[in-house]
Amino acid sequence: MERLQPYRMLWQKRADGGARLLRLYGTSPVVRLPQQIAGHPIVEIAPYCFAAGPKGWHGDVEDTADGQPEDASCLQELHTNAIEELCLSDSVEKIGNCAFYNCRKLHTLCIGAKTADIGSDAFMNTLSFHKLNLRCGAGEKSGVRQILAQVSSDMEVRFISDAGTEASLLYPEYYESYDEVAPAHLFGRSILGEGFRARQCIRDGRVDFAGYDAVFLQACAEEREETLSQMALGRLMYPYALHAKNREIYRECLTGHIREISGRFVRRKDFSGLRFLHRENLLYGAELAACAQAAAESGWAEGAAGLLGWMAKGRTASKKRYDFDDGFV
């Protein structure tokens, strides 16, 4: 993501010298916050910062702009439906109550390992929020559990270090309900979906990958094929702390649904995903031919050409070798 230019910020100086962001104005729904405001590191995202909520701030409010055009009318307040993707700086430690309330178009949030103090209802009504990128290693401590605790819908979590993506985990959607137990007028809590159990596999801020893999076995009996396939793909593509036994379980899942999975990749024109399936010997033979046909019929010429190229290489590799005694065998 490119840094948002121009932008304007309303903020407050905290007692520790850090900055509390109150409001953000800009020109793009894709935002990358700077590390500092006027020399002060951004430490906190204030309550209702990206929501159309109350502005009952207490204390001095600073107004800082950078690269602001002559006509400031082109800057809009970035809240609710005006923000879609946000990358917080590594210095941010706290996200306040209802900070993203009603941000219905926010689909991706990128945070550092220090962002672990998450206020209540911070992500209420963020209906499109399904991707969380953490700038830290897969084995590092982070605030991933605090965020997942507030989002019960599908959430793809990626751990991205300086070396690249280390792990990609899908936490499936789950549902909670409370049923009255008559005649005592007590309520029993019911939870449907393995997404809740998967969210419990985070201890002391670190993901328990073996626990997550164990949840997958239970999920096979309940979750949809698409959900299971995405969980399996994430673990196989980025096999951080993945034991050989669990690797085979994930491969079996993909093998059983390879036509559906490759079909989705074709519809999304995701050639890298198809390449992964082929490289792992999961997409070949009749399934590869069907995939190439589907790509051609959809008008995806580049994808069809690549798939046909793999088919041709496969035929070449399978040609009979020559034996000096018996000829070709």
Side-chain angles (χ1 to χ4, degrees):
M1 294 183 294
E2 297 295 329
R3 177 180 171 182
L4 176 61
Q5 290 288 349
Y7 65 84
R8 174 186 166 212
M9 293 179 175
L10 300 182
W11 60 284
Q12 292 175 326
K13 182 179 177 181
R14 300 188 354 156
D16 59 7
R20 176 186 297 113
L21 180 65
L22 303 174
R23 276 291 189 271
L24 179 66
Y25 299 79
T27 58
S28 170
V30 178
V31 180
R32 184 181 181 88
L33 287 182
Q35 292 280 346
Q36 300 180 338
I37 306 176
H40 300 275
I42 302 177
V43 176
E44 178 184 348
I45 305 301
Y48 291 94
C49 179
F50 294 100
K55 300 180 177 63
W57 303 316
H58 301 284
D60 296 332
V61 176
E62 304 285 344
D63 190 341
T64 299
D66 185 9
Q68 187 172 345
E70 293 182 3
D71 183 10
S73 63
C74 72
L75 296 176
Q76 63 171 326
E77 186 175 347
L78 297 178
H79 65 71
T80 53
N81 291 333
I83 188 164
E84 299 174 7
E85 186 172 341
L86 175 64
C87 186
L88 301 181
S89 59
D90 288 337
S91 58
V92 174
E93 300 175 3
K94 180 177 181 178
I95 294 177
N97 300 341
C98 300
F100 297 98
Y101 177 68
N102 274 345
C103 289
R104 293 185 174 90
K105 291 188 177 181
L106 175 69
H107 55 77
T108 303
L109 178 66
C110 181
I111 63 174
K114 292 182 180 179
T115 309
D117 185 354
I118 312 299
S120 63
D121 298 325
F123 300 96
M124 180 176 285
N125 290 343
T126 53
L127 305 180
S128 300
F129 182 29
H130 296 297
K131 290 185 178 181
L132 175 64
N133 295 331
L134 291 114
R135 290 189 304 278
C136 65
E140 292 183 48
K141 187 174 182 178
S142 71
V144 60
R145 178 163 186 164
Q146 291 87 318
I147 293 179
L148 287 173
Q150 296 198 24
V151 183
S152 61
S153 57
D154 287 349
M155 183 63 69
E156 178 187 354
V157 177
R158 289 202 172 200
F159 293 86
I160 307 172
S161 67
D162 293 338
T165 300
E166 293 189 5
S168 178
L169 304 176
L170 175 70
Y171 290 86
E173 185 175 27
Y174 71 93
Y175 304 91
E176 289 186 77
S177 62
Y178 292 85
D179 302 315
E180 185 175 1
V181 181
H185 301 293
L186 300 176
F187 290 88
R189 183 188 185 192
S190 299
I191 299 176
L192 179 63
E194 294 302 319
F196 179 81
R197 293 181 180 86
R199 284 162 169 79
Q200 309 314 303
C201 299
I202 303 172
R203 297 175 175 83
D204 191 30
R206 294 178 174 84
V207 173
D208 174 8
F209 286 90
Y212 178 92
D213 294 334
V215 167
F216 180 79
L217 289 175
Q218 302 175 43
C220 288
E222 295 186 18
E223 299 293 344
R224 298 177 298 116
E225 173 273 322
E226 186 172 356
T227 298
L228 295 172
S229 298
Q230 191 174 344
M231 293 176 73
L233 279 167
R235 290 299 280 135
L236 291 174
M237 286 183 171
Y238 308 100
Y240 184 91
L242 179 61
H243 298 300
K245 180 183 68 174
N246 292 327
R247 181 177 185 274
E248 289 309 309
I249 292 172
Y250 284 122
R251 284 182 59 87
E252 287 178 12
C253 171
L254 297 186
T255 301
H257 303 288
I258 196 64
R259 181 158 294 195
E260 296 92 332
I261 298 166
S262 60
R264 285 193 292 271
F265 282 150
V266 168
R267 289 191 291 274
R268 296 199 297 258
K269 295 182 171 55
D270 185 351
F271 196 72
S272 63
L274 293 170
R275 182 188 292 112
F276 172 79
L277 295 177
H278 181 64
R279 187 175 65 241
E280 291 290 310
N281 294 319
L282 294 168
L283 180 61
Y284 59 89
E287 299 299 343
L288 178 58
C291 196
Q293 181 178 352
E297 291 175 350
S298 69
W300 186 28
E302 181 181 2
L307 292 164
L308 290 172
W310 295 341
M311 292 174 61
K313 289 181 180 179
R315 286 193 292 268
T316 301
S318 64
K319 282 185 178 180
K320 295 181 179 180
R321 62 180 176 83
Y322 186 81
D323 184 279
F324 284 99
D325 294 327
D326 303 317
F328 283 103
V329 295

